[in-house]
Amino acid sequence: MPTKNVTDERLGKFKNKGKDPAKLREKRISECVELRKAHKIESFMKRRNVTLSSLPDEEALSPDYYSTDTVMVFSIEDIIKEVNSDIKEAQIRGCQAARKLLSQERNPPLKAIIDAGLLARFVSFLSMDDEPTLQFEAAWALTNIASGTSWHTQQVVESGAVPAFISLLASPMLHISEQAVWALGNIAGDGAASRDILIECNVVPALLARIAPDTPVGYLRNLTWTLSNLCRNKNPFPPLSAVMQVLPSLIQLLHFSDKDILSDACWAISYLSDGENERIDVVVKTGIVPRLVELMGHDELSVMTPALRSIGNIVSGSDLQTQAAVDSGVLNVLPQLMRHPKASVQKEAAWALSNIAAGPCKQIQQLITCGLLPPLVEQLRNGDFKTQREAVWAVTNFTSGGTVEQVVQLVQCGALEAIINLLQVKDAKVILVILDAINNIFMAAEKLGETDKLSLLVEELGGLDRIEMLQNHDNEMVYQAAHALIEKYFCDSEVEEVKVDSTADSFVFKTPDVQTAFEF
């Protein structure tokens, strides 16, 4: 069937033993990059103007407090003069004025402060343990600069701020330590290169040392977010040594009740599991999979989404890794998520389902037993197109690796009718995947000698007309695939209808809306 060559690229991105027994299941990667971008909506990689949980009142923090109105009249030239002064009070005024300018929501003058040569001065203030107010204001200003573009962040890194911030983590003043956590999170969120600079400077043990029974929840929120940024990016992945350091603490944080801590800890696990099977195995061996499955049912979307993503990554691994998720009850949660009111959740649930359907027939049977076929067909019929696309892949994977009996059950649930109706979509890749699924169903019918009856069913469902129309499709591959189906299964002389004598042992191709039953 020509569609098999056409869809090799996508199939190679699935773990799909049914299609190619020589390979272990493989992850789907960049083609479905929109799944990977969803977190940008939920949480930014860098943060500016986050309220520190440990921050004292500003008046108490800065004895020489200047109101916002006063600070706003400071020009860049004034700030340069104050910051470069030898007088402590002037330095504090200058740093505070710079910090407030850099905290503006719109167009903060990041480059102007950098071009003024103030970064080295700010970094020098970070080591002044006897001047905590100055230390804090300088740290905050640098944090805001690091929240800008990659270029801005790079300037902070090159100014020598990383070792200074790591040292500040041990500050006895909690708000200063937390400011360092926030700054390091911004740097880690800039990309793999900045992340790895932090890791090489031993940021991980310094951060983990701040997790203690008496650490305030607000502080732990910022710290968990920073840890999640250290787990982010996969070109390259974080060093395995750092991952092994972080994982025990992430597991600990995943048993907190705070939704923000849970959200960022789940995102961290999703980043760590978004890779080759060896990476997934590191996560699975921690024993965290049951907790992730539990969090898939969390009331907060911000927790449930990354938990679902993590499980979706795990079930795109090996058969054993998928079975770990199945044994933890993922198939009991997926039906509700397939029917979730939010389309993005339906899509991710369908993606997870499609990867489980790419497994051996034992796992496919567990899908059937746990009632996944009805919600799958519902999404094929009525889902958002992105969800339908994932559901179509679930059908193709299911029909590739399932037994004849399992394929019959899929058809009986209405999947054949649903994918035939989707042959009208404009996306040529989706059409090719559907034609491949139809071909797989015919191959199952061939094993039972029932291809003629299946041909009649496809025709009655309007499939023949649609497949014939596809022979006029602009896409050459669609034309070839449609033509091959017609040639192989629909070019015989008129098939004589046969009266069906159903028995308890027969397998029947039928759909709820078609009266005529076709017996396998």
Side-chain angles (χ1 to χ4, degrees):
M1 184 74 185
T3 50
K4 289 186 179 177
N5 294 328
V6 172
T7 56
D8 274 350
E9 181 183 357
R10 166 73 182 231
L11 289 170
K13 295 172 183 176
F14 269 98
K15 52 170 197 184
N16 195 326
K17 228 172 180 179
K19 285 307 253 187
D20 187 352
K23 293 182 180 180
L24 289 174
R25 304 183 195 188
E26 296 179 5
K27 284 189 68 62
R28 180 178 60 183
I29 46 174
S30 59
E31 186 170 313
C32 289
V33 70
E34 71 276 2
L35 287 174
R36 298 286 168 258
K37 289 181 177 176
H39 185 32
K40 290 184 180 178
I41 299 169
E42 306 292 340
S43 175
F44 294 104
M45 290 180 282
K46 297 181 182 180
R47 294 176 174 173
R48 188 158 50 88
N49 297 337
V50 173
T51 301
L52 297 181
S53 62
S54 51
L55 181 62
D57 289 340
E58 190 157 19
E59 290 85 348
L61 177 69
S62 302
D64 300 303
Y65 170 70
Y66 283 76
S67 71
T68 301
D69 291 339
T70 305
V71 171
M72 290 303 290
V73 303
F74 274 60
S75 66
I76 297 294
E77 290 73 19
D78 293 332
I79 292 172
I80 294 170
K81 181 179 177 182
E82 297 277 61
V83 169
N84 287 323
S85 169
D86 292 328
I87 301 169
K88 182 197 75 170
E89 290 77 10
Q91 293 169 349
I92 292 174
R93 282 197 303 269
C95 283
Q96 191 178 81
R99 179 262 293 180
K100 292 197 172 187
L101 278 179
L102 294 167
S103 296
Q104 291 175 185
E105 287 295 334
R106 292 187 178 184
N107 302 317
L110 304 180
K111 190 172 187 301
I113 294 293
I114 293 170
D115 290 344
L118 295 180
L119 264 59
R121 190 71 166 157
F122 290 155
V123 170
S124 71
F125 294 154
L126 296 183
S127 61
M128 293 186 177
D129 293 338
D130 56 340
E131 297 291 349
T133 301
L134 182 58
Q135 202 174 39
F136 175 74
E137 291 290 355
W140 196 343
L142 286 166
T143 301
N144 284 348
I145 294 170
S147 73
T149 66
S150 287
W151 182 83
H152 295 130
T153 307
Q154 190 61 31
Q155 303 311 301
V156 173
V157 171
E158 290 178 1
S159 70
V162 168
F165 275 127
I166 292 175
S167 295
L168 274 188
L169 289 173
S171 171
M173 305 191 73
L174 206 58
H175 67 285
I176 293 177
S177 173
E178 188 175 4
Q179 188 67 52
V181 170
W182 177 10
L184 292 165
N186 277 347
I187 295 168
D190 186 59
S194 295
R195 175 204 68 199
D196 289 347
I197 288 171
L198 294 180
I199 291 172
E200 288 166 11
C201 290
N202 291 316
V203 73
V204 173
L207 285 167
L208 299 184
R210 303 303 305 187
I211 302 176
D214 60 346
T215 305
V217 169
Y219 186 109
L220 283 176
R221 287 175 186 155
N222 275 331
L223 193 145
T224 308
W225 169 73
T226 295
L227 290 177
S228 76
N229 273 352
L230 286 168
C231 296
R232 197 187 261 278
N233 294 302
K234 55 181 185 178
N235 289 311
F237 285 101
L240 202 55
S241 57
V243 171
M244 300 303 289
Q245 280 182 305
V246 170
L247 266 173
S249 294
L250 287 177
I251 304 308
Q252 180 185 353
L253 292 165
L254 278 169
H255 287 89
F256 277 62
S257 59
D258 182 80
K259 65 181 178 63
D260 295 322
I261 291 174
L262 286 175
S263 177
D264 282 320
C266 281
W267 280 118
I269 295 294
S270 78
Y271 305 144
L272 296 180
S273 57
D274 183 16
E276 299 301 321
N277 291 357
E278 293 76 16
R279 293 265 168 183
I280 296 173
D281 216 41
V282 170
V283 172
V284 171
K285 283 181 177 177
T286 64
I288 198 57
V289 175
R291 177 59 173 162
L292 292 171
V293 171
E294 181 184 354
L295 293 173
M296 284 170 61
H298 199 280
D299 291 338
E300 291 287 340
L301 193 65
S302 62
V303 176
M304 180 256 286
T305 299
L308 172 57
R309 175 74 59 79
S310 299
I311 290 296
N313 289 339
I314 289 167
V315 299
S316 66
S318 68
D319 291 349
L320 284 175
Q321 290 162 350
T322 300
Q323 195 60 45
V326 172
D327 292 343
S328 297
V330 67
L331 297 181
N332 298 322
V333 184
L334 275 182
Q336 301 95 282
L337 299 186
M338 290 284 287
R339 295 180 169 115
H340 194 276
K342 194 170 177 65
S344 62
V345 174
Q346 297 170 5
K347 177 181 65 176
E348 296 237 3
W351 171 64
L353 172 58
S354 71
N355 271 319
I356 299 171
C361 56
K362 176 189 173 185
Q363 288 175 353
I364 291 175
Q365 187 57 46
Q366 288 177 288
L367 285 178
I368 296 171
T369 303
C370 290
L372 266 299
L373 295 190
L376 173 63
V377 174
E378 287 170 23
Q379 290 302 332
L380 286 167
R381 288 174 175 160
N382 306 312
D384 168 90
F385 178 67
K386 290 179 181 179
T387 304
Q388 288 179 320
R389 185 171 56 197
E390 302 303 327
V392 163
W393 271 103
V395 171
T396 300
N397 287 342
F398 188 110
T399 57
S400 297
T403 65
V404 170
E405 293 88 343
Q406 289 168 342
V407 174
V408 170
Q409 285 181 271
L410 182 67
V411 173
Q412 287 177 342
C413 284
L416 177 60
E417 180 182 16
I419 62 174
I420 284 172
N421 289 336
L422 284 170
L423 284 172
Q424 302 174 90
V425 302
K426 294 180 180 180
D427 190 318
K429 289 182 180 179
V430 171
I431 293 171
L432 286 167
V433 176
I434 293 171
L435 293 175
D436 199 21
I438 293 171
N439 184 66
N440 291 340
I441 295 169
F442 268 108
M443 289 169 64
E446 279 184 312
K447 293 177 183 177
L448 297 173
E450 298 289 349
T451 54
D452 288 346
K453 294 175 183 178
L454 179 58
S455 296
L456 288 171
L457 176 57
V458 171
E459 184 173 359
E460 188 162 346
L461 294 172
L464 178 56
D465 290 342
R466 291 198 174 109
I467 296 169
E468 285 178 336
M469 288 291 293
L470 290 175
Q471 293 183 106
N472 300 317
H473 199 279
D474 292 340
N475 185 292
E476 177 69 17
M477 294 176 178
V478 171
Y479 156 72
Q480 291 177 2
H483 182 71
L485 268 178
I486 297 291
E487 285 288 310
K488 190 170 183 181
Y489 298 113
F490 296 97
C491 277
D492 293 340
S493 56
E494 188 69 27
V495 179
E496 181 182 349
E497 287 203 36
V498 180
K499 182 177 179 180
V500 176
D501 180 20
S502 295
T503 67
D505 297 325
S506 67
F507 300 108
V508 181
F509 267 148
K510 62 183 179 180
T511 68
D513 301 323
V514 177
Q515 296 300 315
T516 309
F518 295 90
E519 178 184 337
F520 261 168

